[in-house]
């Protein structure tokens, strides 16, 4: 529903920007005898025809470039699944009808509120004298307070508290951003004007005097641009960061290329046949591997009858060293607790002693470690080999790890073995392939990432369009202003410098604010999952900043050229 409100406002804003540039034209027509009704009818028909042509052109261009966008997504995101192009006639008809109704409604609204009786206002357009913009000191302080409080809360909370703080922080930052542009920015410009040494330096007087009006006039546009850009930055940054986090999680929790777990009740003949099939498949694919084996016993504990999962020291250390983890060093009567943990789950067992039913052996738990060497998603204990051999386990499981230097090369072998073994959970055994897990995640998440990137880019382009519309609306006024100032001795170089500084603020104040908002939001996101996203955040925010810089350079060159064209 939010995108519908945005669409209505965007079309209304663009139409008003175009109408503003034609005020003098309307004044001339009224002066020549055009009535209010005729003026409204003309505006309604023009806007309606413009909207109809824009809708048809947009649908046509969208259809023409749809296949190109889909092909680009397949290659950039390395998707195996073909993003098939087809003619969605129902969606096209619905889009056409919706936009026709939208343009018709906005055209009717624009024509209804347009009045031609104030002839002098139309003829003068937007060059009528305006009072100097003022700003409230209290609302300026409120802007700083809201943004500061929102940032402090966002950077302070951790874990699930980030989700709870999302709405109140967003409300504070949105309120603060609105008053930042409508109040605080004007106060800062007034502060600069009061510093005479700075104000009277070269063209600063011209720059600051004009910027006070521009900031006040463009405050709502700056606010919308900043919020839209923040949404784009945060959404895309979160998607890219979440993909990185998922990839890292899969790599951490699957330290070996292939794993086979023989559970209790799995016949030894089946277990042996499966392990031999894995080795034969790897040999046929000419993949070098090292096999590691570990036995796991589930035994009854002496306290409350709870079961305890145990692994002997020698098996664990072999697998741990192969996975790049620290081995365990035990003395007689000692054990080490190994626990599983992720950003949402921490299953550490705090007991100090380990005792077993029907046995007098008591082990002291001397250390606790978090590793992913064995596929056990709860606390288990590494114990001396001699104690492990004496335990009468209720359940015996065996873990086989196939270590391959280039795990990505095992994708085809992994798919062959999955077809042979069947789906996970189809028997008293489990089979895992790191290459398959990573491949499936990238394929399934790639489509989501593509949709998110596309929507984020649309919001960012819309934010840039707001800036362009505003420039277009002020073009005629700027032409007259700089034409008059040039007669007083302003050189082309000085004019370009003043315009560049104004455009820098116009383009980078809202986007710079959005970049800071986005950086804080992505920092809170990484604190939620206790995962560093510095590189991903810098990549996303830096890419948008580069795009904005290129857009600024293109618009600046064109705008200065138009200003010098009489």
């Amino acid at each position: 529903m939010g995108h519908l409100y945005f669409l209505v406002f965007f079309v209304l804003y663009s139409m008003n920007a175009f109408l503003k540039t034609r005020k003098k034209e309307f004044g001339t027509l009224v002066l020549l005898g055009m009535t209010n009704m005729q003026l409204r009818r003309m505006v309604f028909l023009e806007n309606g025809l413009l909207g109809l042509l824009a809708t048809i052109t947009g649908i046509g261009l969208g259809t023409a470039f749809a296949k190109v966008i889909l092909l680009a997504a397949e290659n950039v995101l390395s998707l195996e699944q073909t993003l098939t192009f087809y003619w969605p006639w129902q969606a096209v008809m619905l889009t056409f009808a919706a936009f026709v109704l939208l343009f018709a409604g906005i055209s009717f609204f624009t024509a209804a509120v347009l009045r031609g009786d104030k002839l002098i206002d139309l003829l003068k357009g937007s060059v009528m004298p305006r009072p100097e913009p003022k700003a409230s000191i209290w609302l300026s302080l409120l802007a700083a307070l809201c943004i500061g409080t929102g940032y402090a809360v966002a950077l302070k909370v951790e874990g699930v508290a980030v989700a709870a703080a999302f709405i109140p922080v967003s409300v504070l930052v949105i309120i603060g951003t609105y008053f930042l542009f409508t109040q605080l920015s004007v106060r800062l410009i007034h502060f600069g004007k009061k510093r005479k040494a700075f104000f009277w330096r070269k063209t600063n007087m011209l720059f600051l005097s004009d910027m006070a009006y521009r900031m006040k006039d463009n405050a709502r546009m700056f606010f919308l641009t900043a919020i839209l850009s923040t949404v784009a930055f945060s959404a895309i940054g979160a998607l890219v960061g979440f993909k990185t986090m998922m990839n890292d999680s899969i790599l951490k929790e699957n330290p070996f290329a292939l794993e086979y777990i023989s559970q209790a009740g799995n016949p030894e003949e089946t277990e042996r046949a499966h392990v031999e099939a894995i080795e034969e498949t790897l040999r046929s694919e000419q993949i070098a591997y090292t096999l590691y084996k570990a036995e796991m016993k589930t035994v009854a504990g002496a306290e409350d009858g709870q079961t305890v999962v145990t692994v002997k020291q020698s098996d664990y250390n072999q697998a741990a060293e192969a996975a790049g983890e620290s081995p365990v060093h035990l003395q007689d009567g000692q054990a080490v607790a190994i626990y599983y943990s992720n950003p949402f789950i921490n299953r550490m067992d705090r007991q100090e002693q380990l005792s077993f039913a029907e046995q007098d052996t008591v082990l002291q738990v001397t250390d606790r470690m978090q590793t992913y060497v064995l596929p056990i998603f709860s606390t288990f204990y590494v114990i001396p080999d001699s104690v492990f051999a004496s335990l009468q386990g209720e359940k015996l499981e065996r873990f086989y790890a196939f270590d391959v230097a280039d795990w990505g090369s095992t994708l085809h072998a992994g798919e062959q073995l999955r077809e042979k073994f069947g789906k996970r959970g189809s028997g008293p055994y489990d089979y895992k392939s790191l290459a398959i897990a990573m491949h499936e995640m990238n394929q399934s998440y790639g489509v989501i990432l593509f949709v998110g990137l596309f929507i984020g880019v649309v919001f960012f382009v819309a934010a840039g369009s707001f800036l362009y519309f505003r420039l277009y609306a002020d073009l005629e006024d700027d032409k007259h202003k700089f034409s008059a100032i040039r007669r007083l001795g302003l050189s082309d170089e000085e004019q370009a410098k003043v315009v560049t500084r104004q455009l820098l603020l116009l383009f980078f104040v809202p986007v710079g604010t959005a970049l800071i908002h986005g950086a804080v939001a992505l920092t809170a996101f990484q604190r939620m999952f206790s995962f560093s996203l510095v590189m991903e955040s810098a990549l996303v925010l830096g890419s948008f900043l580069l795009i904005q810089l290129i857009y600024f350079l293109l618009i600046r060159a064109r705008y200065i050229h138009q200003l010098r064209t009489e």
Side-chain angles (χ1 to χ4, degrees):
M1 200 64 178
H3 64 281
L4 179 60
Y5 296 141
F6 163 72
L7 184 61
V8 172
F9 182 83
F10 182 78
V11 175
L12 181 61
Y13 184 88
S14 60
M15 283 188 170
N16 285 336
F18 290 129
L19 287 176
K20 180 182 177 182
T21 63
R22 302 179 61 195
K23 277 189 174 183
K24 291 184 179 180
E25 177 187 341
F26 294 154
T28 303
L29 293 174
V30 172
L31 183 63
L32 294 175
M34 177 177 279
T35 64
N36 280 344
M37 184 58 66
Q38 290 173 326
L39 179 62
R40 291 171 179 172
R41 187 183 300 117
M42 182 190 73
V43 171
F44 175 80
L45 292 176
E46 285 182 350
N47 287 345
L49 181 61
L50 180 64
L52 179 63
L53 293 175
T55 302
I56 295 174
T57 304
I59 292 175
L61 291 176
T63 303
F65 284 98
K67 184 59 177 177
V68 177
I69 295 174
L70 295 176
L71 287 174
E74 290 178 17
N75 288 278
V76 173
L77 300 176
S78 301
L79 299 179
E80 281 191 352
Q81 181 182 1
T82 302
L83 299 177
T84 308
F85 173 78
Y86 70 101
W87 176 255
W89 65 271
Q90 291 178 324
V92 169
M93 296 305 297
L94 178 62
T95 302
F96 179 80
F99 272 89
V100 168
L101 291 175
L102 173 63
F103 276 106
I106 291 179
S107 298
F108 178 80
F109 172 77
T110 304
V113 299
L114 183 66
R115 297 179 60 85
D117 52 355
K118 294 185 178 180
L119 181 58
I120 188 65
D121 292 346
L122 291 175
L123 288 174
K124 287 187 176 182
S126 57
V127 297
M128 297 176 62
R130 293 176 293 174
E132 184 179 6
K134 298 180 180 180
S136 168
I137 181 63
W138 299 111
L139 293 179
S140 300
L141 292 175
L142 178 63
L145 179 63
C146 287
I147 294 178
T149 304
Y151 282 2
V153 174
L155 297 176
K156 183 68 176 177
V157 294
E158 296 181 1
V160 294
V162 175
F166 174 75
I167 293 179
V169 167
S170 298
V171 172
L172 282 174
V173 172
I174 289 173
I175 294 174
T177 303
Y178 178 79
F179 289 121
L180 168 68
F181 293 121
T182 59
Q183 304 293 325
L184 183 57
S185 61
V186 178
R187 295 288 304 183
L188 292 175
I189 292 174
H190 285 327
F191 176 76
K193 292 170 68 175
K194 290 179 180 179
R195 299 182 63 183
K196 301 301 181 183
F198 175 75
F199 182 65
W200 291 99
R201 180 181 174 82
K202 295 184 179 181
T203 57
N204 287 349
M205 179 176 64
L206 175 62
F207 167 68
L208 289 175
S209 298
D210 192 51
M211 279 310 301
Y213 292 96
R214 284 183 177 271
M215 291 301 296
K216 195 70 173 181
D217 292 343
N218 298 332
R220 291 182 178 85
M221 184 269 293
F222 283 169
F223 167 71
L224 289 172
T225 302
I227 297 303
L228 287 176
S229 299
T230 301
V231 172
F233 299 160
S234 302
I236 295 178
L239 285 172
V240 174
F242 198 69
K243 182 177 184 298
T244 302
M245 186 173 63
M246 291 176 66
N247 284 344
D248 185 78
S249 177
I250 291 175
L251 288 173
K252 276 186 177 179
E253 298 187 12
N254 297 271
F256 301 104
L258 299 172
E259 297 177 0
Y260 179 84
I261 302 95
S262 178
Q263 301 168 358
N266 188 31
E268 291 188 12
E269 296 80 8
T270 303
E271 176 184 335
R272 191 180 307 111
H274 285 170
V275 174
E276 290 176 355
I278 296 174
E279 294 186 284
E280 178 61 31
T281 302
L282 291 176
R283 285 193 293 266
S284 65
E285 294 284 331
Q286 298 182 345
I287 298 174
Y289 68 92
T290 304
L291 175 61
Y292 298 96
K293 178 181 176 183
E295 290 187 345
M296 299 168 280
K297 283 183 182 179
T298 303
V299 299
E303 298 180 4
D304 303 327
Q306 294 181 350
T307 57
V308 178
V309 180
T310 61
V311 178
K312 62 180 178 180
Q313 179 182 0
S314 59
D315 285 353
Y316 177 83
N317 284 347
Q318 283 187 348
E321 290 177 353
E325 300 281 356
S326 301
V328 169
H329 302 286
L330 297 176
Q331 303 294 330
D332 291 340
Q334 294 182 345
V336 171
I338 309 294
Y339 67 94
Y340 172 80
S341 178
N342 65 24
F344 301 102
I345 301 174
N346 188 345
R347 296 176 175 172
M348 184 189 298
D349 193 335
R350 296 289 183 179
Q351 67 184 57
E352 300 294 333
Q353 291 184 340
L354 189 62
S355 56
F356 309 100
E358 302 178 0
Q359 190 164 337
D360 296 334
T361 303
V362 177
L363 302 177
Q364 299 294 324
V365 179
T366 58
D367 195 8
R368 292 172 178 81
M369 301 170 56
Q370 177 189 358
T371 70
Y372 303 96
V373 175
L374 302 182
I376 303 175
F377 302 108
S378 60
T379 301
F380 64 95
Y381 296 87
V382 180
I383 62 177
D385 291 15
S386 58
V387 178
F388 183 88
S390 66
L391 294 178
Q392 299 298 317
E394 296 181 357
K395 185 169 64 172
L396 177 65
E397 297 181 356
R398 277 180 284 270
F399 168 68
Y400 297 86
F402 297 83
D403 189 27
V404 178
D406 181 15
W407 57 265
S409 63
T410 63
L411 178 60
H412 184 256
E415 291 174 340
Q416 288 181 321
L417 291 168
R418 185 169 62 175
E419 292 179 1
K420 183 177 295 185
F421 295 156
K423 296 181 178 179
R424 295 183 62 179
S426 58
Y429 56 84
D430 196 6
Y431 161 75
K432 297 168 65 178
S433 167
L434 172 57
I436 290 179
M438 189 68 73
H439 177 73
E440 289 181 343
M441 193 283 296
N442 287 332
Q443 294 300 304
S444 59
Y445 195 79
V447 178
I448 300 174
L449 184 60
F450 167 68
V451 174
L453 287 172
F454 188 79
I455 294 175
V457 169
V458 168
F459 273 92
F460 186 67
V461 171
S465 299
F466 278 126
L467 298 174
Y468 182 79
F469 289 148
R470 188 64 202 183
L471 279 178
Y472 182 83
D474 293 338
L475 179 60
E476 290 301 321
D477 295 344
D478 285 347
K479 276 187 176 182
H480 292 297
K481 178 182 65 180
F482 283 107
S483 177
I485 298 176
R486 276 201 301 269
R487 295 190 186 100
L488 298 177
L490 184 71
S491 66
D492 288 344
E493 183 180 351
E494 290 173 328
Q495 179 195 23
K497 187 178 297 184
V498 172
V499 172
T500 299
R501 294 169 68 182
Q502 290 179 346
L503 293 182
L504 276 172
L505 289 178
L506 185 66
F507 274 81
F508 290 100
V509 165
V511 173
T513 303
L515 287 172
I516 298 174
H517 289 350
V520 173
L522 293 176
T523 302
F525 180 77
Q526 74 178 15
R527 290 173 67 86
M528 179 178 181
F529 295 99
S530 300
F531 186 86
S532 177
L533 297 175
V534 175
M535 292 298 297
E536 291 74 17
S537 301
L539 176 63
V540 171
L541 299 179
S543 299
F544 277 110
L545 182 60
L546 178 62
I547 294 172
Q548 186 73 0
L549 179 61
I550 295 173
Y551 183 51
F552 161 75
L553 294 175
L554 293 174
I555 295 300
R556 173 192 173 276
R558 178 176 175 81
Y559 196 71
I560 291 177
H561 174 73
Q562 289 179 330
L563 284 177
R564 294 173 180 174
T565 303
E566 298 295 339

